[in-house]
Amino acid sequence: MSRVDVRLASLAVGAQLFFTELDFSAVGLAGAGPDVVKWAVLGPLTLLPALALPMLSSRLSRDLLRSPQGWMSAWLAWSLVTVLWSVDPQQTALQGLAIVGLWVSGFWFVTTYGFAPLGRVVLLSGSAFLALGLVRDLGSSNYSLDGSERFFGISFAATNLARFGLLVLVVAVAVWRDPRSRRLATLAGSLAVVVILGTHTRTVILVILLIAAYLLGRRLGWRIGLLAGATVAIAAVVVISVAGESSVVSRGEGAADIESINGRSTIWEIAVDLARDEPLLGFGTATGESLWVEAANDGEISWFASNSHNLVLELMLTHGLIGTVLFLGGIVAYWRRSGWSRDPMLNAVMIAILATGVTEAVVNRPSTAILLLGGVLAASMTPGPRSARVSDDRLVARP
């Protein structure tokens, strides 16, 4: 493929990244949340690369079945199969197509060109997304610079924006070693830091500390890493102790109020109760928000959350035990394949996604995390030193 083709591919992937993170209501285009019109367009659009790319790469079909990708390919297939029993088939079909398309796009892009070009795509689109959001936040009369309000940008929520900013920051650090990406990485990383501070999301701060502890351990030895990890654990305890409690939910026959730190444990309890109704198969890909709405309308809960706020619980709720095992099996296979000797920044990207999954659903809608997961797994499969250097940017496709 020529450089023009690469630029066009970058533009297409960048557009997908931008619009899958966008809350249309934030820019006055549609109602909040995953509306049908948005995903009716984005679902097929993001699937097109998955249909067209095999014609451009004779290796793609075979690579998709190799470990660790084989597990994830099975999970992607399962994501689409759940439409057969989904409580919201339309939502499952449209967003399921988008999930598959984003994953395969990222996977193909990295196996063809390496991780650095994909990183630049993420940084370019991410910079535009974060910059527009900052303009909106700082220009709003409702926002105070004294920290009384949180940045929301043009994302779905402050926590979503913080997680997106974290991914941009980690990718910026990953590709900064490439001189051709340094200026873009510096700009994108700086924007991400401002956004993270503006959202003041505690989970993201702790994940940054966790990644720092991991990188210190890689560079200075396991003892330093262990000490840094213990420091992060202490910081987590301190953060939790000052997070406060929120008694916002009453549920169950007794309608007893339930208090939980920052509301998370209450959300998890409700998610567990909902998942028990379909433990094996789940309710269908991307149906988490619909389930919470239905439970609230039925009077089962008096407080609404848009998702389970946990990666595993969201998988159990939407994909069931089968889908959860496939996804986690793929993650385990990745760590077995990548090992301790691989480029630490690829692992840092994975840590950023999975660690935020402790308090966020991550896979409840097609997002940047889906594309980056596919890209990281692809980089772990590429043999030889080419995959071990994040800064490698040769634009020649593998034979």
Side-chain angles (χ1 to χ4, degrees):
M1 297 180 69
S2 67
R3 289 178 178 270
V4 173
D5 294 327
V6 173
R7 293 190 183 100
L8 290 176
S10 300
L11 178 63
V13 173
Q16 292 168 12
L17 283 172
F18 188 92
F19 284 106
T20 51
E21 294 290 342
L22 176 68
D23 178 7
F24 276 26
S25 67
V27 292
L29 294 180
D35 58 279
V36 174
V37 174
K38 173 181 177 180
W39 294 112
V41 174
L42 287 178
L45 176 63
T46 51
L47 183 65
L48 285 177
L51 299 176
L53 294 178
M55 295 185 294
L56 301 175
S57 172
S58 60
R59 302 177 59 98
L60 183 61
S61 299
R62 183 178 61 185
D63 286 344
L64 285 173
L65 298 178
R66 291 171 52 200
S67 179
Q69 181 57 35
W71 284 88
M72 289 305 188
S73 294
W75 175 71
L76 293 172
W78 181 259
S79 297
L80 296 180
V81 169
T82 61
V83 74
L84 297 176
W85 56 83
S86 173
V87 298
D88 191 345
Q90 187 178 58
Q91 195 81 292
T92 293
L94 295 176
Q95 295 203 44
L97 291 175
I99 288 172
V100 172
L102 284 172
W103 186 288
V104 175
S105 296
F107 185 84
W108 169 82
F109 204 96
V110 171
T111 55
T112 305
Y113 301 110
F115 189 84
L118 179 66
R120 285 203 296 275
V121 170
V122 172
L123 295 182
L124 187 60
S125 58
S127 296
F129 188 89
L130 295 178
L132 288 175
L134 282 174
V135 170
R136 179 177 182 270
D137 285 327
L138 295 176
S140 172
S141 59
N142 296 323
Y143 186 81
S144 301
L145 291 178
D146 60 2
S148 60
E149 299 289 344
R150 302 176 70 186
F151 283 150
F152 278 78
I154 50 177
S155 185
F156 294 97
T159 52
N160 288 62
L161 181 63
R163 188 181 68 214
F164 181 74
L166 172 64
L167 293 180
V168 171
L169 177 61
V170 176
V171 172
V173 176
V175 304
W176 190 85
R177 289 172 290 177
D178 183 355
R180 290 167 290 185
S181 304
R182 194 158 293 170
R183 183 177 300 176
L184 175 60
T186 301
L187 171 63
S190 300
L191 287 172
V193 169
V194 172
V195 166
I196 291 171
L197 294 176
T199 59
H200 47 86
T201 301
R202 291 176 288 266
T203 302
V204 168
I205 300 299
L206 290 175
V207 173
I208 291 175
L209 294 176
L210 179 62
I211 293 173
Y214 163 73
L215 294 176
L216 281 174
R218 285 293 301 262
R219 179 172 292 274
L220 302 178
W222 68 269
R223 292 182 179 84
I224 299 297
L226 186 61
L227 177 62
T231 303
V232 173
I234 294 172
V237 172
V238 172
V239 168
I240 290 174
S241 65
V242 300
E245 295 185 343
S246 54
S247 54
V248 292
V249 180
S250 62
R251 66 181 180 89
E253 296 180 359
D257 288 337
I258 297 174
E259 294 186 353
S260 61
I261 295 174
N262 214 32
R264 284 299 193 274
S265 63
T266 301
I267 295 173
W268 296 337
E269 287 183 25
I270 298 174
V272 169
D273 286 347
L274 294 174
R276 285 172 179 165
D277 293 335
E278 288 291 342
L280 186 63
L281 303 180
F283 289 96
T285 300
T287 58
E289 186 166 348
S290 300
L291 292 171
W292 282 86
V293 171
E294 182 180 345
N297 292 337
D298 291 344
E300 183 179 351
I301 56 176
S302 60
W303 181 63
F304 172 74
S306 59
N307 59 73
S308 301
H309 289 70
N310 178 269
L311 168 63
V312 174
L313 288 178
E314 187 73 10
L315 284 170
M316 284 295 301
L317 194 62
T318 59
H319 291 71
L321 179 61
I322 295 176
T324 303
V325 169
L326 291 174
F327 183 90
L328 296 180
I331 298 300
V332 172
Y334 162 77
W335 286 113
R336 290 184 62 186
R337 176 64 180 261
S338 62
W340 188 250
S341 61
R342 291 193 52 77
D343 193 308
M345 291 314 304
L346 292 176
N347 288 334
V349 174
M350 186 71 80
I351 291 172
I353 295 172
L354 297 181
T356 53
V358 174
T359 58
E360 302 299 331
V362 179
V363 294
N364 64 313
R365 67 174 77 246
S367 68
T368 311
I370 297 293
L371 183 135
L372 285 174
L373 277 171
V376 170
L377 261 73
S380 73
M381 289 175 55
T382 307
R386 180 181 187 275
S387 63
R389 296 194 307 270
V390 176
S391 61
D392 180 33
D393 188 22
R394 288 177 291 178
L395 298 179
V396 179
R398 287 167 51 194

